Amino acid sequence: MSRHGDISSSADTVGVCVFQYPMPRLHTTEEVISNAKKICDIVKGTKIGLPGMDLIVFPEYSTMGIMYDRQEMFDTACAIPGDLTDMFGAACKEAGVWGVFSLTGEQHEEHPKKNPYNTLVLINDQGEIVQKYRKLLPWTPIEGWTPGNLGTLVTEGPKGMKISMIICDDGNYPEIWRDCAMKGAELVIRPQGYMYPAKDQQVQVSKTMAWCNQVYVAVANASGFDGVYTYFGHSAIIGSDGRTLGECGTEDNGIQYAQLSISGIRDARANDQSQNQLFKLTHRGYTGVYANGDGDKGIAECPFDWYKAWVTNPKLAQEMAENVTRKTIGVACCPVAGIPPPKNEEEEELLELTNELNLE
């Protein structure tokens, strides 16, 4: 049984801590290194207070902060592995815990010609990087990270629990949760640097996605004010039935800790029926199909036209999305720095014609 309120863990439970780190405002590599040392001290100190802790999770941007200056972003971008991951690895090994750490950003393969990635690393209790995830869906139009190219990943974590990581705005897309769950993830870790005004929506979406995908969710969010945004905290650990096991308020350096049952989630996935979304999605209508004498597997084929288009014809899927939203990345009524304004109708027609000729 998963539970909350104690400092222990057992052979059947993974002790998970989410640490609500205040958003730093940094400018140089030296400042980043100094901040990383603080995070390493937190790893070791928190393990003393929570002896059952197997895994600690820090928020997005907690290591480097948001570099609002483009040159500072490039100057502080790091390699993985590198000095920062070596520091985190040493802390995890000394404390005997696993950790999730944010690196914003990771140098692009063509650094410094192209923007960095927004990256997480999962480090085991031996100090080894066992998963590296790059944010697939940067928070446009503000975030300028290169979109991730590693997909979603699943790694066997402490005590064998299967872990995926996503980052902040990734979590607003149901597709990423389903991808992680269908690959076997039992715990989806969502570090975020989420700010007001979207507090209520972000608290809700992680709970909803836990329920829809029968996964545990660990959310570590930032707190405080960095001179631009105010971060709402509410870091949380959520059960696979969508109910919150523990949730912070808005405080700096808050923690939540829970014991997540390995056997519990596996039993639910194997034996739950009416709310077993993972099984029912690909065995659609199995009760009626069986009654009709058409087999005992239900219908496996995808019934959704847009998803079929996205896989087989991405440009068509993009057009379908534009038909119900807009055709340009810029919005005339609210310009954003770095985003081109929408062109007039004649310019758009010329651009579309040029794109068609290029495709041919």
Side-chain angles (χ1 to χ4, degrees), residues 55-75:
L55 170 68
I56 185 167
V57 182
F58 290 91
E60 179 190 30
Y61 292 110
S62 53
T63 304
M64 300 165 126
I66 298 178
M67 300 291 172
Y68 293 102
D69 182 274
R70 180 174 171 80
Q71 189 57 52
E72 290 179 355
M73 177 181 72
F74 279 94
D75 290 344

Side-chain angles (χ1 to χ4, degrees), residues 327-353:
K327 297 185 181 298
T328 62
I329 60 174
V331 176
C333 61
C334 186
V336 174
I339 303 296
K343 298 175 174 59
N344 61 41
E345 191 171 329
E346 288 183 2
E347 290 174 320
E348 282 296 327
E349 290 177 358
L350 180 60
L351 180 61
E352 287 181 13
L353 178 59

Side-chain angles (χ1 to χ4, degrees), residues 11-91:
D12 183 55
T13 59
V14 177
V16 177
C17 173
V18 291
F19 195 97
Q20 190 160 285
Y21 197 73
M23 181 66 76
R25 184 69 184 270
L26 310 172
H27 303 278
T28 67
T29 298
E30 291 75 22
E31 290 176 342
V32 170
I33 293 293
S34 178
N35 185 58
K37 289 178 181 177
K38 294 178 184 178
I39 292 173
C40 290
D41 288 341
I42 289 171
V43 172
K44 293 178 281 188
T46 305
K47 176 62 175 178
I48 295 171
L50 299 171
M53 183 176 76
D54 298 301
L55 170 68
I56 185 167
V57 182
F58 290 91
E60 179 190 30
Y61 292 110
S62 53
T63 304
M64 300 165 126
I66 298 178
M67 300 291 172
Y68 293 102
D69 182 274
R70 180 174 171 80
Q71 189 57 52
E72 290 179 355
M73 177 181 72
F74 279 94
D75 290 344
T76 57
C78 68
I80 300 176
D83 292 343
L84 289 169
T85 56
D86 288 348
M87 292 171 63
F88 294 143

Side-chain angles (χ1 to χ4, degrees), residues 350-360:
L350 180 60
L351 180 61
E352 287 181 13
L353 178 59
T354 302
N355 287 337
E356 289 174 7
L357 291 174
N358 288 337
L359 290 173
E360 292 174 359

